Structures are given as C-alpha cells and as structure tokens.
Amino acid sequence: MNCYIEIQSRKMVKPSAPTPDNLRRLKLSLFDQMDIGAYVPIVFNYLPNSTSSYDHDDKLEKSLSETLTKFYPFAGRFRKGIDPFSIDCNDEGIEYVRTKVNADDLAQYLRGQAHNDIESSLIDLLPVMHRLPSSPLFGVQVNVFNNGGVTIGIQILHMVSDAFTLVKFVNEWAHTTLTGTMPLDNPGFGQLPWLFPARALPFPLPDFNTTTAPNYKNVTKRFLFDALAIENLRNTIKANDMMMKQPSRVVVVMSLIWKVLTHISSAKNNGNSRDSSLVFVVNLRGKLSCTAPSLEHVVGNCVIPATANKEGDEARRKDDELNDFVKLVRNTIRDTCEAIGKAESVDDISSLAFNNLTKCIEKILHGDEMDFYSCSSWCGFPWYEADFGWGKPFWVSSVSFGHHGVTNLMDTKDGDGIQVTICLKENDMIEFERDPHILSSTSKLAFHSLG
C-alpha cells in the first residue's frame, strides 16, 4: 500500500503549571542509572467508531500539558556536564508531533504492512528522538488516518521510566482527556532516588544508541501465542519435585524462546552448545519488606536485572526439554525474589541490584565466547485501558530496539495470549520461524485477530 506521512505540526508541550522550585532537580536512583540509555518505543492504535472519532487535537494537547505537571521530570533535561546523575526539571517540554497519514484505513494499513517489515512502518509512526544532552526525554506523535483512525506513538528515555511508570502516565493522560479531570494521587518521583541513590559504576553500560551498523542484517518479527497454545505448552512441563505447580504464561513463553535460540546456536556450531544466558528484570514493587513508605505504586525505574545461565555441552543433548529452561528461569526468579524478601535494609537491595548488574555486564563482555539474550515482559500492565475518547485501543505494541537477541512480551487484548516481538540476525530468524515448537505454538501476527 503506497502512502505517505505528512507532518502537520511539531512543537514542545510544556507542563500547564510551572514545576515548584523544590522539585526542579531530580536525582537519579540506582535503578534509573542501571537502565539502558535508549528510548523505549510503543504504539497505541485506535479504530474509528460510530460514536466518536479523532476531532480534538487541542483537547489532547491540553490534557497532555496538564498530565505533565504530575510527571514533570519527563519535560526536563539531563544536566550533562553539571551532574550526570540528575535531571533538571526545567519544564522545557516534550516533543509533540501531529501527522496526517495518507491511508484510508488504519487496520488495512497495518495488515498490508504485516507482509513486509512491520517495524519500518511502525517506526514512521513514532517521534524521532536523538540521545543528546539537550534532547527531550519524552516524545509523542499523534498520527491521524483518513478515516479517523489514530495511532499514538510514544518514545521515552528508559532512564526516567519503566513499563509500570509509562503505562501509568498514558492512562492518566487518557483519563484526563476523556473526563477533563486528573486523578488525585501524586506519583512521587523522589522516593526511589532518596532510598537508592545513584553511584559511580566501575564499568561502562552497553550503548544501545550506537549508530554503527552491524556487519549482518537484523530482522524483527512478531509471533502470537494464544491461550490454547500456552496451555498446551504448560501441559508439556513434566511434574517433578522442583516444580509443584505449573509455571506462569510468561515463564513458559520466555523459556521456549530461549530454548529455540540455544538450539539454533548449537546447530551453527556443529552440534556443540555454547554457554548461554538470558537476562530479564524483576519488579521490586510489592516485594520489599525493608522500606517505608511502601513502594508498591512508586514511579521511576523500580526493577533489577536477573540472569539465568545455562552451561554449554560438548554436544547438543537429545533430552534438552523445555523443562530444563523453565527450571533455570523459575529458579532465577525464585532466588532473586527470596533475596529481595530477605533484605534487611535498602543497602542490601542496592548491593543485590549492583551485583546482579555486574554479572550481567560480565556476560555481555564475553559475547564472542557465549550467547547472550534479553527478554522484557510488559505482561500484566493495563495497556489496553487507555481510552482518550475513541474507545480502548484495538492493538498496542512495543517497537523493536533493532538489536539481535532482544525480545519483548506483551499481553494480547483479551489478556490470555502473549504477543512476542523478537529481533534476530536474518539467518537466525529463518531458523527460528522453521522451528517445530514455534510452528506448532504460534501464528505470525494477524492484525484482525487483535481486535
């Protein structure tokens, strides 16, 4: 389908009220500091309906400005050259772009692009963000289709927000647009930096903003695990003393992907398996017993990395079952949660986070000798509750970072299935799609199935 996207306006949207002087400087927390220095992209897609359509850009912008008064760090800038561990909450604003998409129908546009590289199409629906000291930390692009369908593309710097914080912001913005009133609660950005201050790290973090092209082509595709496929996978997990109950949906899907990737690696190495690691994050909210006040609803980054490790074998094991990978992932989550629960002070939590990050970096630095994969789960968050007045979104999706071995999991709209976005080297993607476990458990994402 031939179409073009016309930028109709581009501006900085500032908080509707100035940030108080006592909040003008926000220190980073240790968890902020540990997160990748990249922008996190996500798109919310809305179909036109018979009762409402997109016709209120001023209202959308006004409510965004009002919501920013509560999420004021998003409108600030990093204090590069002054203090690398703080944000100047100076109300400079966020990038706000409005476009007109020359396509008659949003769903038809997405279905048509699904046969090609869907990532390139979604990237066009996102604001262009550059990681510079003076750059905005947050960007929004509102894309309006000819028939009134709308896609809201968002990019936010990971160092100021995790998934919990981002979905809270979007839902509050939507609520304010729909009702004209803001929720009364105060997000409270200062709690985590006060309890877990940033510290100088003895090693550089991976740069996900590098402009150097790899010497191979990366491909991103989506796969849908519906509820039945996930249940069938869970039923294949053999009961044993280590596993008294079935693993969660997320653990099963994450483990299966890791299993398939290790087998692809083994096949490329003449049947010899390399050491392999899978890194993911564990949410600290609701798990800490050593802090007051409670951090159950705190905003910012409140997660720590955890790494599951599998030693390579001289030859690929024939009995290398999904159980093995599920146990490794579950044991890593269990051990991490137990360590969090046993922590007697915030210093214990800081040490745990720092040690886990160190182990993760060590694995990355040995990338030529072993396989390293990462998987983030955004499951369980209310992404599909964001109603700006056009109804709830018919499809919400992350957009790939474009780096090999990076996977994202999100709930499908019904909450029972899982949508997987995975980026791999082109040849690895071919093998991934051919794997019998992937063929039998997934479908290539069909947009009509998401409504």
Side-chain angles (χ1 to χ4, degrees), residues 164-184:
F164 175 94
T165 305
L166 178 56
V167 74
K168 180 176 178 63
F169 172 87
V170 173
N171 282 333
E172 291 209 10
W173 176 25
H175 176 86
T176 303
T177 306
L178 182 66
T179 67
T181 60
M182 284 195 297
L184 297 177

Side-chain angles (χ1 to χ4, degrees), residues 86-228:
S86 67
I87 297 172
D88 184 5
C89 303
N90 54 15
D91 300 335
E92 283 194 34
I94 70 165
E95 182 88 358
Y96 185 78
V97 182
R98 185 183 182 279
T99 77
K100 181 69 174 179
V101 183
N102 184 31
D104 292 332
D105 183 87
L106 169 60
Q108 184 182 356
Y109 168 80
L110 293 173
R111 289 192 196 104
Q113 299 299 332
H115 299 294
N116 302 309
D117 182 3
I118 184 65
E119 286 303 303
S120 63
S121 304
L122 293 180
I123 287 172
D124 291 338
L125 302 175
L126 292 165
V128 177
M129 309 295 287
H130 300 288
R131 185 69 170 92
L132 300 171
S134 59
S135 297
L137 309 181
F138 189 90
V140 173
Q141 184 167 312
V142 180
N143 308 277
V144 183
F145 287 72
N146 290 341
N147 71 337
V150 181
T151 292
I152 294 182
I154 290 175
Q155 295 225 59
I156 186 166
L157 195 66
H158 206 321
M159 292 180 71
V160 298
S161 172
D162 59 10
F164 175 94
T165 305
L166 178 56
V167 74
K168 180 176 178 63
F169 172 87
V170 173
N171 282 333
E172 291 209 10
W173 176 25
H175 176 86
T176 303
T177 306
L178 182 66
T179 67
T181 60
M182 284 195 297
L184 297 177
D185 66 309
N186 188 337
F189 276 91
Q191 294 183 43
L192 289 172
W194 176 66
L195 290 169
F196 306 98
R199 62 170 73 174
L201 300 178
F203 44 75
L205 294 177
D207 184 4
F208 280 80
N209 294 283
T210 178
T211 56
T212 303
N215 57 4
Y216 51 83
K217 181 180 179 181
N218 283 333
V219 175
T220 298
K221 294 193 177 182
R222 282 178 176 73
F223 299 86
L224 179 66
F225 291 78
D226 62 24
L228 178 59

Side-chain angles (χ1 to χ4, degrees), residues 25-45:
R25 183 183 180 190
L26 178 68
K27 283 280 191 179
L28 292 182
S29 74
L30 175 64
F31 310 130
D32 295 330
Q33 181 191 11
M34 287 173 14
D35 266 291
I36 58 175
Y39 287 91
V40 175
I42 187 169
V43 290
F44 294 78
N45 298 282

Side-chain angles (χ1 to χ4, degrees), residues 19-26 72:
T19 299
D21 289 342
N22 65 312
L23 300 178
R24 300 281 288 191
R25 183 183 180 190
L26 178 68
Y72 54 91

